Amino acid sequence: MKKVVIFHMDGVIVNSESAWAIAAKEVFSSLGVIMDDESYNQTKSMTTEEVTKFWFLRYP
């Protein structure tokens, strides 16, 4: 039985940045956000809540 689960997002244990980039582009593009590499780079260090607010202010 597992007693501990490590949830880790900053790329030290697993480099998940490319998966987050794909997901962000798919999700935000489907909502009308113009999402290219430059746009993604503006928000890649933000939390999910922060990036959602960031794009909602620009594309309500």
Side-chain angles (χ1 to χ4, degrees), residues 33-52:
V33 175
I34 299 168
M35 182 61 71
D36 54 17
D37 289 338
E38 184 178 330
S39 298
Y40 175 73
N41 286 334
Q42 289 181 286
T43 61
K44 72 179 181 180
S45 64
M46 295 180 185
T47 66
T48 303
E49 183 177 354
E50 290 169 338
V51 72
T52 301

Side-chain angles (χ1 to χ4, degrees), residues 8-56:
H8 176 78
M9 297 296 294
D10 72 3
V12 175
I13 295 173
V14 175
N15 186 359
S16 59
E17 188 66 39
S18 60
W20 276 107
I22 292 167
K25 289 174 185 177
E26 286 182 14
V27 170
F28 289 109
S29 293
S30 75
L31 297 170
V33 175
I34 299 168
M35 182 61 71
D36 54 17
D37 289 338
E38 184 178 330
S39 298
Y40 175 73
N41 286 334
Q42 289 181 286
T43 61
K44 72 179 181 180
S45 64
M46 295 180 185
T47 66
T48 303
E49 183 177 354
E50 290 169 338
V51 72
T52 301
K53 287 178 181 178
F54 178 90
W55 289 118
F56 183 75

